[in-house]
Amino acid sequence: MKAVTILGATGSVGTSALDVIERHPERFRVHALTAQSNVDGLADLAVRFGPEVVVIGDVSLEGRLREALRERGARARVAGGRDALVDVARAPQVDAVLAAIVGAAGLVPTLAAAEAGKRLMLANKEAIVSAGALLMAAVRRGGAELLPVDSEHNAIHQCLAGVREAERDGARLVLTASGGPFRGRLDLDTVTPDEACAHPNWVMGRKISVDSATLMNKGLEVIEASWLFNMPVERIDVVIHPQSVIHSMVEFPDGSVLAQMGTPDMRTPLAYALAWPERVASGAQRLDFARLGELTFEAPDLQRFPCLGFAYDALRHGRAASAVLNAANEVAVQAFLEGRLRFTGIAATIQRVLDAFDPEPPSGIDEVLEIDRRAREVAAGMLPNRGPAPQ
Ligand code: NDP
């Protein structure tokens, strides 16, 4: 029986993971569930899964959470704030931690799970983009088991299973991208937040949905893949595959290409990460090849979607560029979602921040957090002052 902490339990990835866990009560039990501000959602999950602890990121909501649990007759211990997130990520009775907080806010508890040697099921790509070297060092030091949940990296993990280190040396990674909702759309200036969040194949949180629409999501994944699989930037390709059936591929020097396929459902990589090296049912629909029709591929359009190129450049540049890229993107996406920035303003803002701010590489977590804070300040200073996005 594995005891699991779910960081970001009320989110899209968190609830998908809980759906898988619920199917296997003999294998998994929930130790802790966390959210930022969704008190009722967290309290409902506490009733359903009976965790020992529930953590609310916003400490001012601790009292409301206690009340919500009392009303529902749930008995979990309540804690609040970042230290409490760290505590449930490294608690001795926990075997596995799902890092599913959105944004760099998830970095500190994710690092704590790595340091504590847990099975770290990583969905929170912003953590590894901001602090890849530190996170990978913490995984090694703590003896953690790092299992990627992002469907592309999970696919690559599956394709590389059983491949010896020496054979990986000549391999090339091919990350697939759906292309997002605007692949064929010419006028990107008038895109609204709701349009950007309506992904053609996946149901996800709003931030990653916008990242997917700008192709920044794929850029973050290129950086993530480089850290996870120790792969140089020249050997990571991206191909647009609108059907989202092939989740990514590995090409070997002999010309063989291994691909992992499945319906687009996060429960598949989550079930893999929870049960590895075993396989358990996830609830995902089976692929019906006869009804699938065709699988198509095309090159990404870096002119119209420059964010992917920014991520490649940041990876090549090194230093702290990935952390700056990530922070600028988080600020710009939030401004877009709040109607303060046009869709095309996201890429423009990120480019200006990258041009203006090139700090030294961080040597510890405090320096990463400081770079993240300063990059957010620079980005915020570059946004249009107030009011709705200019038309
Ligand atoms: P959601 O926005 O749906 O959920 C985010 C979760 O994190 C919620 O539980 C939220 O709590 C919590 N949270 C938000 N801000 C904070 C904070 N400052 N401190 C602590 N907790 C916080 O996001 P997704 O589930 O879509 O994505 C989660 C992560 O997984 C992201 O990094 C994303 O890139 C990655 N990912 C997502 C995929 C998907 O299919 N959705 C696929 C692959 C990767 P509350 O509900 O209270 O706001």
Side-chain angles (χ1 to χ4, degrees):
M1 180 71 97
K2 247 188 220 131
V4 186
T5 283
I6 313 272
L7 302 170
T10 46
S12 163
V13 172
T15 50
S16 294
L18 287 166
D19 181 282
V20 176
I21 286 173
E22 202 165 34
R23 290 165 194 273
H24 303 284
E26 73 298 348
R27 281 177 178 266
F28 310 113
R29 86 184 155 75
V30 175
H31 170 73
L33 297 173
T34 86
Q36 172 63 7
S37 57
N38 184 352
V39 167
D40 287 327
L42 188 55
D44 288 344
L45 291 175
V47 173
R48 205 165 124 205
F49 292 94
E52 283 151 57
V53 193
V54 285
V55 179
I56 192 86
D58 179 347
V59 274
S60 71
L61 296 173
E62 255 187 77
R64 270 191 51 204
L65 180 58
R66 274 203 188 88
E67 200 163 308
L69 290 181
R70 215 176 11 251
E71 280 165 16
R72 290 165 175 80
R75 276 211 294 263
R77 181 162 64 78
V78 172
R82 197 169 83 179
D83 290 349
L85 293 172
V86 167
D87 287 345
V88 293
R90 65 175 178 207
Q93 61 270 53
V94 167
D95 303 298
V97 174
L98 174 63
I101 289 175
V102 59
L107 174 56
V108 171
T110 301
L111 265 176
E115 299 270 10
K118 306 298 183 194
R119 167 169 299 197
L120 174 57
M121 303 179 284
L122 183 71
N124 180 203
K125 62 189 85 186
E126 296 90 348
I128 193 165
V129 167
S130 300
L134 290 177
L135 182 59
M136 296 312 285
V139 165
R140 281 191 296 274
R141 229 180 9 254
E145 226 172 12
L146 180 52
L147 286 160
V149 165
D150 220 347
S151 59
E152 294 75 2
H153 308 79
N154 187 269
I156 291 167
H157 192 274
Q158 298 198 36
C159 294
L160 288 176
V163 175
R164 291 180 313 171
E165 209 58 49
E167 272 73 59
R168 290 184 186 202
D169 277 353
R172 171 176 291 278
L173 309 184
V174 184
L175 302 181
T176 51
S178 69
F182 308 132
R183 199 164 50 93
R185 176 161 165 166
L186 291 179
D187 179 15
L188 294 176
D189 239 14
T190 55
V191 163
T192 66
D194 282 346
E195 286 173 329
C197 289
H199 195 277
N201 304 335
W202 298 90
V203 180
M204 308 183 285
R206 284 171 79 77
K207 191 263 177 181
I208 186 178
S209 296
V210 176
D211 286 347
S212 198
T214 60
L215 286 201
M216 178 55 93
N217 183 48
K218 212 46 55 180
L220 299 178
E221 287 176 7
V222 168
I223 299 171
E224 181 182 7
S226 158
W227 286 112
L228 284 175
F229 304 108
N230 192 22
M231 195 57 75
V233 58
E234 323 72 72
R235 285 201 274 126
I236 309 176
D237 293 340
V238 169
V239 67
I240 304 292
H241 166 47
Q243 296 81 14
S244 299
V245 166
I246 294 180
H247 298 308
S248 278
M249 304 180 257
V250 180
E251 182 196 292
F252 293 97
D254 62 4
S256 297
V257 178
L258 298 191
Q260 186 264 349
M261 304 168 80
T263 48
D265 187 327
M266 283 305 292
R267 290 176 300 178
T268 299
L270 283 161
Y272 177 89
L274 279 161
W276 186 85
E278 292 171 37
R279 298 262 185 185
V280 296
S282 69
Q285 271 194 359
R286 297 178 53 205
L287 262 187
D288 182 344
F289 284 93
R291 290 183 57 191
L292 207 54
E294 54 180 9
L295 298 182
T296 59
F297 305 91
E298 61 196 61
D301 181 346
L302 294 184
Q303 295 301 118
R304 292 177 59 241
F305 300 100
C307 289
L308 176 57
F310 296 163
Y312 269 108
D313 290 345
L315 193 52
R316 282 189 204 100
H317 186 72
R319 290 169 60 87
S322 296
V324 173
L325 170 96
N326 180 68
N329 181 55
E330 286 194 34
V331 170
V333 169
Q334 187 59 33
F336 167 69
L337 285 171
E338 289 168 2
R340 292 184 286 123
L341 187 67
R342 288 189 209 212
F343 184 75
T344 46
I346 298 175
T349 304
I350 296 166
Q351 179 154 44
R352 289 171 65 199
V353 175
L354 284 167
D355 289 345
F357 185 44
D358 182 18
E360 296 290 320
S363 57
I365 182 63
D366 290 342
E367 285 179 32
V368 174
L369 296 176
E370 178 58 14
I371 289 167
D372 178 75
R373 191 191 62 74
R374 285 180 51 207
R376 281 168 201 267
E377 245 171 42
V378 176
M382 288 175 175
L383 295 175
N385 280 342
R386 43 177 70 83
Q391 291 303 315

PDB file of all heavy atoms in Angstrom, residues 42-58:
ATOM      1  N   LEU A  42     -11.427  21.266  -1.902  1.00  0.00           N
ATOM      2  CA  LEU A  42     -10.505  20.489  -1.065  1.00  0.00           C
ATOM      3  C   LEU A  42     -11.281  19.719   0.006  1.00  0.00           C
ATOM      4  O   LEU A  42     -11.002  18.538   0.266  1.00  0.00           O
ATOM      5  CB  LEU A  42      -9.487  21.445  -0.429  1.00  0.00           C
ATOM      6  CG  LEU A  42      -8.323  20.821   0.329  1.00  0.00           C
ATOM      7  CD1 LEU A  42      -7.546  19.839  -0.543  1.00  0.00           C
ATOM      8  CD2 LEU A  42      -7.374  21.910   0.848  1.00  0.00           C
ATOM      9  N   ALA A  43     -12.279  20.383   0.602  1.00  0.00           N
ATOM     10  CA  ALA A  43     -13.075  19.717   1.650  1.00  0.00           C
ATOM     11  C   ALA A  43     -13.840  18.527   1.055  1.00  0.00           C
ATOM     12  O   ALA A  43     -13.922  17.460   1.674  1.00  0.00           O
ATOM     13  CB  ALA A  43     -14.024  20.722   2.286  1.00  0.00           C
ATOM     14  N   ASP A  44     -14.385  18.702  -0.152  1.00  0.00           N
ATOM     15  CA  ASP A  44     -15.106  17.588  -0.793  1.00  0.00           C
ATOM     16  C   ASP A  44     -14.161  16.408  -1.037  1.00  0.00           C
ATOM     17  O   ASP A  44     -14.522  15.247  -0.813  1.00  0.00           O
ATOM     18  CB  ASP A  44     -15.720  18.041  -2.134  1.00  0.00           C
ATOM     19  CG  ASP A  44     -16.909  18.980  -1.928  1.00  0.00           C
ATOM     20  OD1 ASP A  44     -17.428  19.032  -0.797  1.00  0.00           O
ATOM     21  OD2 ASP A  44     -17.292  19.671  -2.896  1.00  0.00           O
ATOM     22  N   LEU A  45     -12.944  16.716  -1.484  1.00  0.00           N
ATOM     23  CA  LEU A  45     -11.970  15.632  -1.728  1.00  0.00           C
ATOM     24  C   LEU A  45     -11.588  14.950  -0.415  1.00  0.00           C
ATOM     25  O   LEU A  45     -11.349  13.734  -0.377  1.00  0.00           O
ATOM     26  CB  LEU A  45     -10.720  16.177  -2.422  1.00  0.00           C
ATOM     27  CG  LEU A  45     -10.902  16.648  -3.867  1.00  0.00           C
ATOM     28  CD1 LEU A  45      -9.605  17.284  -4.400  1.00  0.00           C
ATOM     29  CD2 LEU A  45     -11.313  15.486  -4.779  1.00  0.00           C
ATOM     30  N   ALA A  46     -11.534  15.737   0.662  1.00  0.00           N
ATOM     31  CA  ALA A  46     -11.174  15.153   1.970  1.00  0.00           C
ATOM     32  C   ALA A  46     -12.242  14.142   2.405  1.00  0.00           C
ATOM     33  O   ALA A  46     -11.925  13.095   2.971  1.00  0.00           O
ATOM     34  CB  ALA A  46     -11.019  16.259   3.007  1.00  0.00           C
ATOM     35  N   VAL A  47     -13.506  14.449   2.109  1.00  0.00           N
ATOM     36  CA  VAL A  47     -14.578  13.503   2.461  1.00  0.00           C
ATOM     37  C   VAL A  47     -14.414  12.228   1.641  1.00  0.00           C
ATOM     38  O   VAL A  47     -14.521  11.114   2.151  1.00  0.00           O
ATOM     39  CB  VAL A  47     -15.967  14.133   2.164  1.00  0.00           C
ATOM     40  CG1 VAL A  47     -17.074  13.106   2.353  1.00  0.00           C
ATOM     41  CG2 VAL A  47     -16.189  15.361   3.027  1.00  0.00           C
ATOM     42  N   ARG A  48     -14.090  12.412   0.363  1.00  0.00           N
ATOM     43  CA  ARG A  48     -14.044  11.250  -0.553  1.00  0.00           C
ATOM     44  C   ARG A  48     -12.824  10.364  -0.296  1.00  0.00           C
ATOM     45  O   ARG A  48     -12.900   9.155  -0.433  1.00  0.00           O
ATOM     46  CB  ARG A  48     -14.010  11.814  -1.978  1.00  0.00           C
ATOM     47  CG  ARG A  48     -14.533  10.880  -3.023  1.00  0.00           C
ATOM     48  CD  ARG A  48     -14.790  11.649  -4.310  1.00  0.00           C
ATOM     49  NE  ARG A  48     -14.049  11.056  -5.406  1.00  0.00           N
ATOM     50  CZ  ARG A  48     -13.678  11.707  -6.495  1.00  0.00           C
ATOM     51  NH1 ARG A  48     -13.956  12.998  -6.636  1.00  0.00           N
ATOM     52  NH2 ARG A  48     -13.018  11.078  -7.438  1.00  0.00           N
ATOM     53  N   PHE A  49     -11.678  10.969   0.073  1.00  0.00           N
ATOM     54  CA  PHE A  49     -10.437  10.177   0.150  1.00  0.00           C
ATOM     55  C   PHE A  49      -9.888  10.003   1.564  1.00  0.00           C
ATOM     56  O   PHE A  49      -8.916   9.274   1.744  1.00  0.00           O
ATOM     57  CB  PHE A  49      -9.368  10.801  -0.759  1.00  0.00           C
ATOM     58  CG  PHE A  49      -9.728  10.665  -2.217  1.00  0.00           C
ATOM     59  CD1 PHE A  49     -10.393  11.679  -2.884  1.00  0.00           C
ATOM     60  CD2 PHE A  49      -9.460   9.493  -2.903  1.00  0.00           C
ATOM     61  CE1 PHE A  49     -10.769  11.545  -4.211  1.00  0.00           C
ATOM     62  CE2 PHE A  49      -9.828   9.341  -4.228  1.00  0.00           C
ATOM     63  CZ  PHE A  49     -10.480  10.367  -4.887  1.00  0.00           C
ATOM     64  N   GLY A  50     -10.452  10.691   2.548  1.00  0.00           N
ATOM     65  CA  GLY A  50     -10.028  10.520   3.940  1.00  0.00           C
ATOM     66  C   GLY A  50      -8.539  10.705   4.188  1.00  0.00           C
ATOM     67  O   GLY A  50      -7.921   9.861   4.854  1.00  0.00           O
ATOM     68  N   PRO A  51      -7.926  11.803   3.705  1.00  0.00           N
ATOM     69  CA  PRO A  51      -6.499  12.013   3.975  1.00  0.00           C
ATOM     70  C   PRO A  51      -6.258  12.326   5.451  1.00  0.00           C
ATOM     71  O   PRO A  51      -7.194  12.747   6.144  1.00  0.00           O
ATOM     72  CB  PRO A  51      -6.167  13.251   3.121  1.00  0.00           C
ATOM     73  CG  PRO A  51      -7.453  14.016   3.079  1.00  0.00           C
ATOM     74  CD  PRO A  51      -8.540  12.970   3.027  1.00  0.00           C
ATOM     75  N   GLU A  52      -4.998  12.130   5.903  1.00  0.00           N
ATOM     76  CA  GLU A  52      -4.692  12.517   7.288  1.00  0.00           C
ATOM     77  C   GLU A  52      -4.561  14.033   7.403  1.00  0.00           C
ATOM     78  O   GLU A  52      -4.870  14.613   8.425  1.00  0.00           O
ATOM     79  CB  GLU A  52      -3.386  11.852   7.734  1.00  0.00           C
ATOM     80  CG  GLU A  52      -3.588  10.378   8.082  1.00  0.00           C
ATOM     81  CD  GLU A  52      -2.344   9.558   7.836  1.00  0.00           C
ATOM     82  OE1 GLU A  52      -1.305   9.895   8.411  1.00  0.00           O
ATOM     83  OE2 GLU A  52      -2.435   8.592   7.041  1.00  0.00           O
ATOM     84  N   VAL A  53      -4.040  14.669   6.343  1.00  0.00           N
ATOM     85  CA  VAL A  53      -3.784  16.119   6.385  1.00  0.00           C
ATOM     86  C   VAL A  53      -4.361  16.780   5.139  1.00  0.00           C
ATOM     87  O   VAL A  53      -4.259  16.214   4.043  1.00  0.00           O
ATOM     88  CB  VAL A  53      -2.257  16.416   6.398  1.00  0.00           C
ATOM     89  CG1 VAL A  53      -1.984  17.872   6.773  1.00  0.00           C
ATOM     90  CG2 VAL A  53      -1.504  15.484   7.308  1.00  0.00           C
ATOM     91  N   VAL A  54      -4.900  17.984   5.300  1.00  0.00           N
ATOM     92  CA  VAL A  54      -5.224  18.827   4.136  1.00  0.00           C
ATOM     93  C   VAL A  54      -4.524  20.161   4.327  1.00  0.00           C
ATOM     94  O   VAL A  54      -4.500  20.709   5.431  1.00  0.00           O
ATOM     95  CB  VAL A  54      -6.743  19.053   3.939  1.00  0.00           C
ATOM     96  CG1 VAL A  54      -7.421  17.819   3.379  1.00  0.00           C
ATOM     97  CG2 VAL A  54      -7.415  19.504   5.210  1.00  0.00           C
ATOM     98  N   VAL A  55      -3.923  20.651   3.244  1.00  0.00           N
ATOM     99  CA  VAL A  55      -3.150  21.898   3.330  1.00  0.00           C
ATOM    100  C   VAL A  55      -3.730  22.908   2.359  1.00  0.00           C
ATOM    101  O   VAL A  55      -3.936  22.603   1.182  1.00  0.00           O
ATOM    102  CB  VAL A  55      -1.662  21.657   2.968  1.00  0.00           C
ATOM    103  CG1 VAL A  55      -0.888  22.975   3.043  1.00  0.00           C
ATOM    104  CG2 VAL A  55      -1.044  20.624   3.891  1.00  0.00           C
ATOM    105  N   ILE A  56      -3.960  24.121   2.862  1.00  0.00           N
ATOM    106  CA  ILE A  56      -4.413  25.213   1.999  1.00  0.00           C
ATOM    107  C   ILE A  56      -3.252  26.211   1.892  1.00  0.00           C
ATOM    108  O   ILE A  56      -2.708  26.653   2.905  1.00  0.00           O
ATOM    109  CB  ILE A  56      -5.728  25.854   2.547  1.00  0.00           C
ATOM    110  CG1 ILE A  56      -6.348  26.781   1.514  1.00  0.00           C
ATOM    111  CG2 ILE A  56      -5.578  26.535   3.886  1.00  0.00           C
ATOM    112  CD1 ILE A  56      -7.247  26.086   0.517  1.00  0.00           C
ATOM    113  N   GLY A  57      -2.849  26.503   0.646  1.00  0.00           N
ATOM    114  CA  GLY A  57      -1.686  27.384   0.436  1.00  0.00           C
ATOM    115  C   GLY A  57      -1.908  28.760   1.029  1.00  0.00           C
ATOM    116  O   GLY A  57      -1.017  29.335   1.664  1.00  0.00           O
ATOM    117  N   ASP A  58      -3.104  29.302   0.839  1.00  0.00           N
ATOM    118  CA  ASP A  58      -3.434  30.631   1.364  1.00  0.00           C
ATOM    119  C   ASP A  58      -3.804  30.488   2.839  1.00  0.00           C
ATOM    120  O   ASP A  58      -4.915  30.061   3.182  1.00  0.00           O
ATOM    121  CB  ASP A  58      -4.608  31.195   0.540  1.00  0.00           C
ATOM    122  CG  ASP A  58      -5.037  32.575   1.022  1.00  0.00           C
ATOM    123  OD1 ASP A  58      -4.616  32.987   2.126  1.00  0.00           O
ATOM    124  OD2 ASP A  58      -5.801  33.225   0.291  1.00  0.00           O
TER     125      ASP A  58
END
